[in-house]
Amino acid sequence: MQKQSNLHDIYELTPMQKGILFHCLYNPSSTAYFLQTSYRLRGEVEVDLVKKTLETLSERHEALRAAFVYRESKKLLQVVLSERPMGFDYQDIRELDEASQKAYLESYKQKDRKRGFDLTWDVLMRVGLLRLREQEYELVWSAHHITLDGWGLVILTNEFYQIYQACRQRQEPLLPPPKPHRHYVQWLQQRDQQTAGQYWQQYLSGYEQQAQLLGQKASESQDYVHKQMDLLLSKEQTATLGRQAAGLQVTLSTLMQTLWGVLLGRYNNTCDVVFGLVISGRPKEIEGVEQMVGLFINTVPVRVRYRKQTSWAELFKQIQTEAFEREAHQYYPLMKIQAESILKQKLVNHIMVFENYPLAQQLGQVETSSDREIFQVLAEENIERNNYDFTLVVVPGEQLLIRFDYNEKVYQRQQLEQLKAHLMVLIDGLLKRVDQPISKMSLLTLQEENFLKSINSTDQFYPEEETLVSLFEQQVDRTPGQIAIVFGQREYTYSELNDQSNRLAHYIRDQHTLQAGDLVGLLVERSIEMIVGILGILKSGAAYLPIDVTYPNERIDYLLEDGKVALLLTQSEYLLGLSHYDGSLFALDEELEGLATPTDNPPRVNKPTDLAYVIYTSGTTGRPKGVM
């Protein structure tokens, strides 16, 4: 450990930091909660000044000098040291050709992510500067999420530029003294935990079904293979969404939460879903909170519930009102919210992040009065991992960007492409009409609608004088040798099925005096015998009464008596239980093979208007009733 004289401060972790620490200890090889941002710079970059700038940033912000104690303490603590230089690495790779440089850079970043951070000993932020050409560099900035959030990273990048510029001019940077992260920790400790807990219990009361995403599959390993998919709205679509939100007096974040909730609901066939939302967590009442560097974010559940007749406008306003009510309790730890919910850890399985940083001036965009040219930012790349397999990132701007960050081991790209298309259909529908009921809006793309029309185009000429029996016999004449039915390892061709049902039909006609409309019972399991029985009964001229073999004896007896069933076709294993039945019994699986009846089609006696079958109601509100 560091010497005692180097100790600056000690205080507890925030709930979010505790959650991150738990995940890191539970799976130490995971790359979750690793932040890596790389900038391609052009211009004159002085390596010594970069190093000095990083040292100044470390001196300014306590979060960059923190280590985390959990092995030798009863409490989880963050220890802030007085001095803790930020990690810095400089490499000159100008001798490599362009292809080799590209491969080297990718390898460098991957190794850096794989290296990770030891939360007790490591400096939790490090910077690599790689020189590619005379005036071109790659700046790789890595940090652990337990130290800071995206807002804080923007603060650091902006301050980096200003400090570096001041150093080049041999001046002191004109930056206000930062407020320590401790102020936020103290504010959290003063919150009313009991009231917040009661709020979340009421908010989630009655929610019992986890919202699943389209394309989700079980992962056979704990590996995370990061993939990304973008949906970029046009300027016109973005502007229209903005006007819709302004007209309804809701935020763009509320609008996107609502759209996502409705989409999830459609996939889960419900009007009540929950997903996670990352909130900035910077309370306005803390002085200087917008300039603090540290971890302020929290994840809270968002519940989108509505009735089928609810309009988009009504739901937007409802979700906005609930967001205002939630604001007073959004500091409450997600782990406690989950623990007190019905679904526990299954409450949230993915999150939405709305990246709306008011300080988000990118590196190199701060104006300067200096005559000397400073470096320009040519490109920027961000990699951020959390412990969720799917994250929906919404980035506002002149063109709204919706990004899907997902684990390829868990989500199929093809299915997510479909999800992306459905989300766009919802957005397009919303742009046209915000007053229509949500239930009236289709998710289907034009291609899907055309496909459904093609497979549901079932209008066919149907001769009114034909019956099911006559149509079946015509098919037998056309394709006698084709397979008609398969059950397990058994199969019948059309000819074989026709022969067996004909033998049964002749038996019924010869041995029993039945007329059109009389019922023959059919108490069999799902089997080939079931189909033979149906066809045989219909060919005989009678109608059939299906009886489930799992029915209690009282219900079976009632159906047989009420339907005036004089003949019951069954299977041998059920004969003993029907010994009290006073009608005729016939075991299809044993007796059919022994019949010496003809296999030719019996003369047709039925008309299309004759009864085919009777099904009885459940009888939950009284005696079951037969429906013809």
Side-chain angles (χ1 to χ4, degrees):
M1 287 290 292
Q2 301 287 334
K3 294 180 179 180
Q4 186 68 25
S5 60
N6 195 25
L7 183 63
H8 177 74
D9 202 352
I10 298 178
Y11 45 88
E12 293 186 25
L13 278 65
T14 67
M16 189 68 173
Q17 286 178 315
K18 291 177 183 178
I20 291 176
L21 180 60
F22 168 79
H23 283 289
C24 293
L25 294 177
Y26 180 76
N27 188 4
S29 62
S30 171
T31 58
Y33 300 111
F34 191 95
L35 305 175
Q36 188 180 77
T37 303
S38 56
Y39 301 96
R40 181 63 58 90
L41 309 178
R42 175 178 290 167
E44 294 183 10
V45 178
E46 299 181 38
V47 178
D48 290 342
L49 293 188
V50 170
K51 190 174 182 180
K52 183 177 180 180
T53 299
L54 296 175
E55 291 172 354
T56 304
L57 284 175
S58 181
E59 292 169 3
R60 280 178 55 78
H61 299 288
E62 291 184 358
L64 305 185
R65 306 194 305 274
F68 293 83
V69 177
Y70 53 88
R71 292 193 179 100
E72 302 171 358
S73 173
K74 294 182 179 179
K75 283 187 176 182
L76 299 176
L77 300 172
Q78 47 189 322
V79 178
V80 180
L81 305 177
S82 301
E83 295 181 3
R84 204 176 199 208
M86 195 184 302
F88 179 67
D89 174 46
Y90 171 72
Q91 295 186 27
D92 189 333
I93 58 172
R94 283 179 290 178
E95 74 279 2
L96 300 179
D97 58 37
E98 186 174 352
S100 299
Q101 282 187 351
K102 184 177 180 180
Y104 187 88
L105 281 174
E106 183 59 33
S107 174
Y108 183 91
K109 295 173 187 177
Q110 287 183 359
K111 288 179 181 178
D112 187 52
R113 293 194 295 269
K114 189 174 182 180
R115 171 185 167 189
F117 293 97
D118 184 310
L119 297 181
T120 303
W121 305 107
D122 285 346
V123 177
L124 300 181
M125 179 172 285
R126 54 180 176 257
V127 173
L129 182 65
L130 292 87
R131 190 170 189 176
L132 310 178
R133 278 171 278 282
E134 192 63 31
Q135 289 197 342
E136 191 167 323
Y137 300 79
E138 186 85 4
L139 185 70
V140 182
W141 199 313
S142 300
H144 199 288
H145 215 331
I146 200 170
T147 303
L148 79 169
D149 50 31
W151 190 317
L153 192 58
V154 171
I155 294 172
L156 291 180
T157 53
N158 284 325
E159 288 191 0
F160 176 91
Y161 185 89
Q162 295 177 69
I163 295 169
Y164 180 85
Q165 182 184 23
C167 289
R168 288 191 64 180
Q169 298 173 355
R170 306 299 187 264
Q171 297 176 356
E172 288 295 320
L174 299 176
L175 295 171
K179 302 291 183 180
H181 190 236
R182 157 184 278 281
H183 290 186
Y184 174 62
V185 177
Q186 291 172 334
W187 179 88
L188 280 177
Q189 292 170 342
Q190 296 167 2
R191 297 307 95 197
D192 186 344
Q193 299 291 316
Q194 182 176 358
T195 301
Q198 291 171 349
Y199 166 82
W200 286 110
Q201 284 183 348
Q202 182 178 0
Y203 182 73
L204 295 169
S205 176
Y207 185 74
E208 301 178 354
Q209 176 186 343
Q210 185 189 51
Q212 296 286 336
L213 276 170
L214 183 68
Q216 189 170 348
K217 58 183 179 180
S219 176
E220 297 178 356
S221 69
Q222 297 297 318
D223 295 340
Y224 185 101
V225 180
H226 175 262
K227 294 293 179 180
Q228 184 175 307
M229 185 186 302
D230 289 346
L231 171 60
L232 184 65
L233 272 60
S234 68
K235 293 180 181 179
E236 293 75 19
Q237 289 170 328
T238 303
T240 304
L241 273 185
R243 288 193 295 270
Q244 293 275 32
L248 294 167
Q249 295 183 317
V250 301
T251 64
L252 188 58
S253 176
T254 292
L255 189 144
M256 291 307 303
Q257 292 169 42
T258 307
L259 281 169
W260 186 248
V262 170
L263 181 62
L264 276 181
R266 290 290 183 88
Y267 286 155
N268 290 270
N269 193 29
T270 180
C271 297
D272 188 4
V273 298
V274 167
F275 60 91
L277 176 70
V278 176
I279 50 97
S280 68
R282 293 178 180 255
K284 297 176 182 177
E285 56 264 41
I286 300 180
E287 183 184 356
V289 72
E290 291 190 349
Q291 294 293 342
M292 284 186 191
V293 172
L295 186 68
F296 295 83
I297 61 170
N298 192 25
T299 300
V300 295
V302 171
R303 187 174 188 178
V304 178
R305 48 184 165 173
Y306 57 93
R307 299 181 304 276
K308 290 186 177 180
Q309 64 269 29
T310 303
S311 72
W312 283 103
E314 292 171 332
L315 185 57
F316 286 136
K317 292 178 181 178
Q318 172 193 319
I319 300 302
Q320 185 69 68
T321 300
E322 292 174 354
F324 288 142
E325 295 171 351
R326 184 177 66 231
E327 192 170 339
H329 311 289
Q330 61 187 14
Y331 60 85
Y332 199 66
L334 178 61
M335 66 181 80
K336 288 188 177 181
I337 297 174
Q338 290 176 319
E340 295 163 4
S341 70
I342 295 173
L343 292 176
K344 304 301 180 185
Q345 300 303 313
K346 294 182 179 181
L347 178 67
V348 171
N349 66 357
H350 70 280
I351 59 175
M352 174 185 286
V353 179
F354 194 83
E355 289 190 352
N356 191 18
Y357 307 136
L359 301 175
Q361 299 166 295
Q362 298 303 319
L363 186 66
Q365 290 184 337
V366 181
E367 293 184 1
T368 173
S369 59
S370 171
D371 294 333
R372 300 179 64 188
E373 181 183 356
I374 202 166
F375 52 77
Q376 297 175 321
V377 179
L378 303 179
E380 178 184 353
E381 179 187 43
N382 292 286
I383 294 177
E384 179 177 347
R385 272 284 327 277
N386 54 54
N387 66 306
Y388 293 96
D389 289 312
F390 182 90
T391 301
L392 181 74
V393 182
V394 183
V395 185
E398 192 175 20
Q399 289 183 259
L400 185 72
L401 172 65
I402 303 171
R403 189 175 72 236
F404 299 163
D405 285 326
Y406 66 96
N407 183 359
E408 191 180 39
K409 294 284 187 178
V410 178
Y411 292 97
Q412 303 172 14
R413 187 171 187 86
Q414 182 180 1
Q415 298 294 329
L416 292 183
E417 289 281 6
Q418 188 178 4
L419 184 150
K420 170 183 166 182
H422 290 162
L423 180 58
M424 193 64 242
V425 170
L426 274 186
I427 293 173
D428 279 335
L430 178 63
L431 295 175
K432 296 171 184 175
R433 282 194 61 186
V434 74
D435 58 336
Q436 66 175 316
I438 296 171
S439 59
K440 298 294 184 182
M441 187 176 290
S442 172
L443 281 186
L444 300 180
T445 64
L446 182 60
Q447 182 181 6
E448 289 170 331
E449 286 183 350
N450 290 335
F451 174 72
L452 285 179
K453 287 178 182 177
S454 68
I455 64 173
N456 287 314
S457 179
T458 56
D459 292 343
Q460 296 288 335
F461 169 73
Y462 189 92
E464 294 183 359
E465 71 279 3
E466 300 289 358
T467 64
L468 174 63
V469 168
S470 63
L471 290 173
F472 172 72
E473 290 175 351
Q474 290 172 27
Q475 184 64 37
V476 173
D477 291 338
R478 286 193 295 268
T479 59
Q482 286 191 9
I483 300 300
I485 183 169
V486 176
F487 184 82
Q489 301 300 314
R490 298 174 63 196
E491 59 183 36
Y492 274 179
T493 64
Y494 275 97
S495 178
E496 290 170 334
L497 178 57
N498 193 50
D499 288 349
Q500 292 291 70
S501 57
N502 284 341
R503 295 171 67 194
L504 178 62
H506 283 293
Y507 160 78
I508 296 174
R509 281 194 184 181
D510 294 344
Q511 301 298 322
H512 302 275
T513 306
L514 295 173
Q515 299 177 352
D518 289 343
L519 293 179
V520 175
L522 189 62
L523 190 148
V524 293
E525 295 179 347
R526 291 178 181 270
S527 58
I528 284 183
E529 284 74 27
M530 175 186 283
I531 305 303
V532 170
I534 290 174
L535 284 171
I537 294 170
L538 294 176
K539 281 172 173 280
S540 75
Y544 66 93
L545 170 63
I547 303 174
D548 195 319
V549 296
T550 63
Y551 283 166
N553 290 334
E554 295 79 8
R555 181 177 174 89
I556 293 174
D557 292 342
Y558 171 79
L559 298 184
L560 293 173
E561 180 182 353
D562 191 67
K564 298 181 176 58
V565 176
L567 171 63
L568 177 62
L569 308 183
T570 185
Q571 289 162 312
S572 55
E573 63 179 293
Y574 301 109
L575 290 175
L576 185 61
L578 295 165
S579 57
H580 62 286
Y581 173 61
D582 57 6
S584 297
L585 289 170
F586 185 87
L588 286 168
D589 56 336
E590 289 186 352
E591 298 185 63
L592 185 60
E593 292 298 330
L595 291 178
T597 50
T599 59
D600 59 321
N601 294 333
R604 298 175 188 171
V605 296
N606 289 103
K607 302 185 297 294
T609 54
D610 288 340
L611 181 67
Y613 58 86
V614 171
I615 291 183
Y616 275 77
T617 61
S618 63
T620 53
T621 57
R623 285 286 201 177
K625 297 178 179 60
V627 180
M628 297 188 293

